[in-house]
């Protein structure tokens, strides 16, 4: 039998039943997909909007913060004036006392724990050409 002869031999009622069931299956699949898509869009639509309430920079890593008032300038390496300096300490090595190594200081180390109390203050002149960094601490008069 050829394909066309086999098609002719199918009962027309059975053919319509197969077509109807196939159409209903496709319609159910499309409806289910539509419902899932709607759910995804509704979930995204109802998500909370995020807003920044406060923003801080730390000109000296591991020291006090400076609260920014309204905005921040973003540079290729982060916020302007943020973590531009790091406190280091000199470590004399036994191998070469004339060529010391340098070690980063963090307040996690007992000897550097007062770094948390160093409070920086940025002073930018009116022409925006000179920036001065003042430091204060409750441990220094």
């Amino acid at each position: 039998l050829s394909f066309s002869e086999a098609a002719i031999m199918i009962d027309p009622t059975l053919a319509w039943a197969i077509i109807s069931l196939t159409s209903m299956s496709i319609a159910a699949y499309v409806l289910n997909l539509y419902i899932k898509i709607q759910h995804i869009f509704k979930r995204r639509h109802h998500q909370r909007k995020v807003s920044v309430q406060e923003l801080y920079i730390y000109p000296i890593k591991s020291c006090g913060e400076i609260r920014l008032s309204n905005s921040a300038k973003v540079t290729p390496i982060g916020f302007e004036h943020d973590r531009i300096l790091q406190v280091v300490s000199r470590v004399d090595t036994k191998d070469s006392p004339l060529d010391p190594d340098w070690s980063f200081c963090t307040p996690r180390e007992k000897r550097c724990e007062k770094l948390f109390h160093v409070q920086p203050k940025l002073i930018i002149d009116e022409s925006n050409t000179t920036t001065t960094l003042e430091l204060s601490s409750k441990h220094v008069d």
Side-chain angles (χ1 to χ4, degrees), residues 41-70:
F41 280 115
K42 283 181 184 177
R43 192 172 60 206
R44 285 184 184 167
H45 180 70
H46 292 296
Q47 288 178 347
R48 293 183 184 177
K49 292 183 179 179
V50 176
S51 64
V52 176
Q53 299 297 317
E54 295 178 341
L55 188 60
Y56 296 88
I57 60 169
Y58 297 81
I60 305 171
K61 188 170 175 16
S62 300
C63 292
E65 75 280 352
I66 295 177
R67 183 174 186 228
L68 301 177
S69 53
N70 294 322

Side-chain angles (χ1 to χ4, degrees), residues 42-127:
K42 283 181 184 177
R43 192 172 60 206
R44 285 184 184 167
H45 180 70
H46 292 296
Q47 288 178 347
R48 293 183 184 177
K49 292 183 179 179
V50 176
S51 64
V52 176
Q53 299 297 317
E54 295 178 341
L55 188 60
Y56 296 88
I57 60 169
Y58 297 81
I60 305 171
K61 188 170 175 16
S62 300
C63 292
E65 75 280 352
I66 295 177
R67 183 174 186 228
L68 301 177
S69 53
N70 294 322
S71 63
K73 182 177 179 182
V74 179
T75 70
I77 59 170
F79 292 121
E80 185 176 43
H81 306 300
D82 188 40
R83 293 173 179 87
I84 55 175
L85 300 171
Q86 168 77 53
V87 178
V88 295
S89 65
R90 188 175 174 156
V91 179
D92 290 328
T93 60
K94 293 178 183 178
D95 298 334
S96 175
L98 298 177
D99 186 22
D101 287 333
W102 295 92
S103 172
F104 296 114
C105 296
T106 72
R108 291 183 201 111
E109 300 171 35
K110 184 75 173 163
R111 66 187 177 90
C112 300
E113 65 186 4
K114 291 182 181 179
L115 281 175
F116 277 134
H117 303 289
V118 174
Q119 186 58 52
K121 178 180 179 183
L122 282 175
I123 302 168
I124 302 171
D125 70 346
E126 291 180 18
S127 64

Side-chain angles (χ1 to χ4, degrees), residues 29-43:
Y29 176 76
V30 170
L31 180 61
N32 188 24
L33 191 60
Y34 174 77
I35 290 169
K36 286 181 180 179
I37 291 171
Q38 289 297 324
H39 180 71
I40 290 169
F41 280 115
K42 283 181 184 177
R43 192 172 60 206

